[in-house]
Amino acid sequence: QVQLRESGGGLVQAGGSLRLSCAASGSIVSYSNMAWYRQAPGKERELVATVSSGGTTNYTDSVRGRFTISRDWPKNTIYLRMDSLQPGDTAVYYCTTRWKGRDYWGQGTQVTVSS
């Protein structure tokens, strides 16, 4: 059983920064691809950023250059550093991974950006 726990969300003014953390059980951060998604009210969940087991990162166009995904293997944790936040970034942010053919999701952390 894989468990993912996000933290670090909160309320921030436009232009501010936050760093989200996703702590994983076991050592899956070292061996699996991981991703951050977000879901805004009334919208579908969307992919924000991914980091492969080899360290390759990818971002959706709307956050590229502002967000940075990273991983800390010894701590079994991935991060999402979010800079230059905009009201449009307001959403619940989730981390996820696929492990042995099954998808796992955390409970999410709320990010609210005020204008």
Side-chain angles (χ1 to χ4, degrees):
Q1 183 84 13
V2 172
Q3 293 183 332
L4 303 173
R5 175 166 289 192
E6 303 95 337
S7 61
L11 173 64
V12 64
Q13 289 187 332
S17 299
L18 284 173
R19 189 180 78 160
L20 306 183
S21 300
C22 173
S25 59
S27 301
I28 62 169
V29 170
S30 300
Y31 302 108
S32 65
N33 301 330
M34 301 194 71
W36 286 97
Y37 278 73
R38 66 185 180 186
Q39 187 166 21
K43 295 186 177 181
E44 294 186 354
R45 194 171 293 189
E46 67 167 344
L47 178 64
V48 176
T50 63
V51 58
S52 73
S53 57
T56 300
T57 59
N58 280 290
Y59 303 89
T60 192
D61 287 346
S62 63
V63 308
R64 188 174 292 113
R66 300 189 297 121
F67 290 12
T68 304
I69 189 171
S70 61
R71 61 200 301 161
D72 186 330
W73 293 332
K75 293 184 178 179
N76 295 315
T77 300
I78 66 167
Y79 302 97
L80 186 67
R81 170 74 181 189
M82 305 184 295
D83 296 315
S84 302
L85 282 161
Q86 305 165 359
D89 296 317
T90 295
V92 178
Y93 284 72
Y94 300 89
C95 69
T96 183
T97 190
R98 174 164 290 186
W99 181 250
K100 296 184 178 180
R102 179 178 171 182
D103 292 332
Y104 293 89
W105 295 83
Q107 83 289 348
T109 186
Q110 175 72 47
V111 172
T112 303
V113 184
S114 63
S115 57

